[in-house]
Amino acid sequence: MLQVLFSSNNLHVIFQSEVFAVAFALLAAGAIILTLNVLLLGGHIIFFQSLSLLGYCLFPLVIGALVCMLKDNVIIKVIVVSVALAWSSWAAYPFMSSAVNPRRKALALYPVFLMYVSVGFLIIAID
């Protein structure tokens, strides 16, 4: 959904395919890195937890991208993305905290937060 929103704007066809490729690569690499991170931290992650991190927890950023598509003001985009980023990070906390040792929660949540920040920057940059 996020990739369709990125590529549905009134952009040139070549730029649309580049944006789609970047969004796809970012989310695919993020999913792989997040899964490996949890496994290397001695945790256990099942397939459904990985899907929850990418689907359920990215949904606030998708809503933020929808709102940002309608508004052209950069300040409004930054505020909307900041709220969506906080919401996504808050939603990811229970999934990651149940997958790893309680002492390693911060190590597991940091890459998730970085992926969400990079998606947020994509939302702000695409106009």
Side-chain angles (χ1 to χ4, degrees), residues 32-115:
I32 293 168
I33 290 170
L34 294 178
T35 303
L36 287 176
N37 183 43
V38 170
L39 292 175
L40 290 174
L41 287 174
H44 60 283
I45 191 164
I46 56 176
F47 182 69
F48 296 112
Q49 282 179 323
S50 179
L51 287 179
S52 297
L53 278 172
L54 291 179
Y56 175 76
C57 298
L58 272 175
F59 184 71
L61 287 168
V62 172
I63 298 297
L66 272 171
V67 172
C68 289
M69 256 179 57
L70 302 174
K71 300 292 180 185
D72 244 0
N73 191 351
V74 175
I75 295 172
I76 292 175
K77 285 183 176 185
V78 169
I79 292 170
V80 167
V81 168
S82 298
V83 170
L85 179 65
W87 184 6
S88 292
S89 299
W90 178 76
Y93 179 77
F95 294 111
M96 295 305 286
S97 63
S98 67
V100 296
N101 188 347
R103 295 181 318 190
R104 297 181 176 180
K105 285 181 192 178
L107 289 173
L109 285 171
Y110 182 69
V112 174
F113 182 72
L114 284 180
M115 186 180 82

